[in-house]
Amino acid sequence: MSSNPKCRKKNCKFNALPDEPYCEVHRFVGTPGTGVAGEGAEEQPIVISGGSVTIKFDDTVLQPLSRGKHSNPDKSLKSITIKGDGIDYSAHFPTGRGVSITIFYHDSNKGKP
C-alpha cells in the first residue's frame, strides 16, 4: 500500500505523487505553460513516465494510425514539461508546427544479476 496521500482533486481516486499534492493525471491542471487547461477541460495530457516506460493518453483523441502510431490531424503540440531526476524544464510552442520530441530509453535491467 502506498504511503502517499490521496490526490487533492475532488473525487480523484488516485494517490498523490511523492512530495506533490496531486496525482499524475491532475498534476498540472490549470498550471500556465503546461498545456493542461483548468477545471472543465476535456483533454488530458499525454504523460510519459520512466522507471518502467509508461505512455498514457486519451485514445479517443489520438486514434490508431498504424502499429505503434496514434494521430489526430486536428491537434498540435502546445507545450512540454519535464520534471524529475534533477530536471525541471518547461517550454511552450506558439504554433506546434515542426516540433518533434524524441524520447530515448534503455533496458534498465541490463547488467543486473
Side-chain angles (χ1 to χ4, degrees), residues 54-96:
T54 303
I55 301 171
K56 181 179 177 181
F57 62 92
D58 183 344
D59 60 359
T60 64
V61 173
L62 297 173
Q63 298 294 316
L65 183 63
S66 63
R67 186 173 181 191
K69 292 184 181 183
H70 290 71
S71 181
N72 185 328
D74 298 326
K75 305 294 179 190
S76 62
L77 294 176
K78 184 175 180 179
S79 64
I80 185 172
T81 299
I82 304 169
K83 209 168 188 171
D85 206 12
I87 298 169
D88 190 352
Y89 175 79
S90 278
H92 179 75
F93 313 123
T95 66

